[in-house]
Amino acid sequence: MPKKATKEQETLFRSARKEAAAFNERLSSMDGVAEETGIDRTRVQRIETGVLIPYPEEVVLMIDVYHKPELRPHYCATLCPLGKGNVFEPACTELDRTTNALLSELRNADKIANYIMDIADSGCIDEEKLQMMREKAVPAIDELVKDLLAYRITVEKALKQG
């Protein structure tokens, strides 16, 4: 009895390649991808289906060939054992939205600076200051980092397209 074909998973690596194929026809085929990136065609296929985790060097090649800088934080936030839980994947990379989000967070920069100064004020960290770090300073810094990363990726994409 023949095997039934399963619907292939749509990973960010696959969708990035498909989008890139619009400006580089060679990326429409696995042979073309292999020639453009230097990564074996079956390996690319397995990465795209989520069977294999790409090496960091392969992600760098894909970022360059596909013109998709958002692959970097995706890899670091979801696949890299060192990055999981420490790196953020931006939710959006549209210029108007990322600009507004970043400007909104930058308006809170004084608040973040005040949290940091309050925490470091006496030179020793007590339980109250640890709680302030957990509840206020770290979440505020995390939001700023996310918005900075999203803006950076948006600018990288614009520069590659322009």
Side-chain angles (χ1 to χ4, degrees):
M1 183 191 298
K3 264 186 161 178
K4 287 185 181 179
T6 59
K7 186 177 179 194
E8 291 185 355
Q9 184 178 338
E10 186 70 19
T11 65
L12 188 59
F13 294 104
R14 177 178 302 238
S15 60
R17 180 188 52 83
K18 285 181 176 179
E19 288 176 28
F23 69 84
N24 183 345
E25 191 177 305
R26 293 179 52 121
L27 299 176
S28 298
S29 74
M30 285 296 127
D31 288 330
V33 172
E35 290 172 15
E36 292 286 319
T37 62
I39 305 168
D40 180 73
R41 63 185 295 290
T42 57
R43 185 164 175 81
V44 172
Q45 199 166 25
R46 294 175 76 198
I47 289 167
E48 286 189 3
T49 57
V51 173
L52 276 181
I53 295 174
Y55 296 122
E57 299 83 3
E58 293 169 328
V59 177
V60 170
L61 289 167
M62 290 178 195
I63 290 166
D64 188 46
V65 172
Y66 301 166
H67 303 287
K68 292 289 183 180
E70 61 268 33
L71 291 175
R72 182 183 312 111
H74 170 74
Y75 172 80
C76 293
T78 62
L79 301 173
C80 173
L82 296 175
K84 284 182 190 177
N86 297 310
V87 176
F88 303 106
E89 188 171 9
C92 169
T93 56
E94 286 137 25
L95 185 59
D96 59 341
R97 291 177 59 197
T98 57
T99 300
N100 289 335
L102 178 57
L103 291 173
S104 175
E105 285 303 321
L106 287 173
R107 287 187 198 106
N108 291 327
D110 285 341
K111 228 190 289 186
I112 294 169
N114 287 334
Y115 293 147
I116 293 169
M117 287 189 297
D118 287 347
I119 291 165
D121 187 32
S122 67
C124 60
I125 298 176
D126 58 16
E127 186 57 41
E128 181 183 335
K129 290 183 181 184
L130 285 172
Q131 186 174 349
M132 183 188 293
M133 288 169 102
R134 262 191 301 275
E135 294 176 4
K136 295 182 179 181
V138 171
I141 292 167
D142 286 348
E143 283 304 310
L144 180 58
V145 168
K146 284 180 194 176
D147 290 331
L148 282 166
L149 180 59
Y151 189 77
R152 179 176 177 225
I153 289 170
T154 303
V155 169
E156 280 182 54
K157 286 176 74 169
L159 291 172
K160 286 198 182 248
Q161 291 171 354

